[in-house]
Amino acid sequence: MKPETITLISFGYFEKRFLDEIKYDVEREFQIPVILREGYLDLSLYFDPSRRQYNGNSLLQDINLQFASDQAKTLAVFNVDLYIPILTFIFGQAFLNGRCGIASAYRLRNERYGIAPNESIFIDRLRKEVIHELGHAFGLIHCPNPTCVMRSSTYVEDIDQKNWSFCPKCKKQLNG
């Protein structure tokens, strides 16, 4: 059974127009209304000083406990560098067929890689990550189709190469 809504919660400062644009595209892709909210967590609790990053596993667990509900899929958006113990960094993660996911904008800006800023590219990358992680929350696994939003992304270039929409196979599974 599909939830009635998707809730996007921003933790930290994101320009409203970024979130509005992403909201519109998420609604269009999932065909479910999206509610925007702001949230607060003491992120210092998730910071690992030895890595100078934030623990994505702990953050995801707490988003699930404190902000997610059974009536909506919830995606929390952060602007901190996330990791899980087995990876150097992550762009996001979600509970497969679960209530929530997280995504981070931290590694999505061109400036992080010594390239000139480009707002359009940044929004496109964030949109893809939000839709990708929500796809996992809706039960989709990584897709081998190189242009599907559900293709795994290890590097930012991988994000750039895929579309922000589901391939026909994933779309069918999502609506099935």
Side-chain angles (χ1 to χ4, degrees):
M1 182 172 97
K2 262 191 171 180
E4 295 178 21
T5 60
I6 293 170
T7 303
L8 292 180
I9 307 174
S10 63
F11 291 84
Y13 178 73
F14 290 93
E15 288 189 35
K16 184 173 177 347
R17 63 189 173 86
F18 290 169
L19 297 175
D20 285 340
E21 189 171 331
I22 290 168
K23 172 187 182 223
Y24 174 79
D25 294 329
V26 170
E27 284 178 334
R28 188 165 54 175
E29 197 60 20
F30 287 94
Q31 298 294 302
I32 297 173
V34 173
I35 298 166
L36 292 177
R37 288 184 41 207
E38 289 185 26
Y40 176 78
L41 281 174
D42 180 358
L43 293 180
S44 68
L45 301 172
Y46 307 93
F47 186 71
D48 182 331
S50 66
R51 292 182 69 138
R52 290 180 285 159
Q53 292 176 295
Y54 296 79
N55 187 316
N57 288 338
S58 299
L59 202 48
L60 181 61
Q61 286 285 351
D62 284 354
I63 292 298
N64 189 49
L65 291 172
Q66 297 179 42
F67 296 93
S69 77
D70 292 332
Q71 287 72 43
K73 296 291 183 185
T74 300
L75 197 287
V77 183
F78 296 91
N79 199 16
V80 296
D81 196 12
L82 299 174
Y83 79 93
I84 58 174
I86 62 168
L87 294 174
T88 307
F89 68 88
I90 58 172
F91 297 115
Q93 69 176 345
F95 289 116
L96 186 63
N97 211 20
R99 303 185 319 166
C100 69
I102 59 176
S104 175
Y106 184 84
R107 291 181 179 261
L108 301 179
R109 291 187 183 278
N110 276 354
E111 301 90 303
R112 183 83 40 220
Y113 306 97
I115 302 170
N118 186 317
E119 242 176 50
S120 176
I121 289 173
F122 167 69
I123 293 170
D124 193 50
R125 289 172 179 162
L126 186 56
R127 169 192 302 118
K128 290 173 186 178
E129 280 309 300
V130 166
I131 291 171
H132 178 94
E133 297 308 335
L134 282 167
H136 286 316
F138 278 93
L140 297 177
I141 59 171
H142 286 150
C143 179
N145 184 324
T147 61
C148 181
V149 73
M150 291 310 297
R151 188 177 115 223
S152 179
S153 297
T154 304
Y155 304 103
V156 75
E157 294 86 357
D158 297 330
I159 299 169
D160 292 341
Q161 293 173 2
K162 62 186 179 181
N163 295 325
W164 58 268
S165 57
F166 299 108
C167 70
K169 179 181 158 253
C170 289
K171 189 72 142 174
K172 182 178 179 185
Q173 186 178 346
L174 184 68
N175 295 326

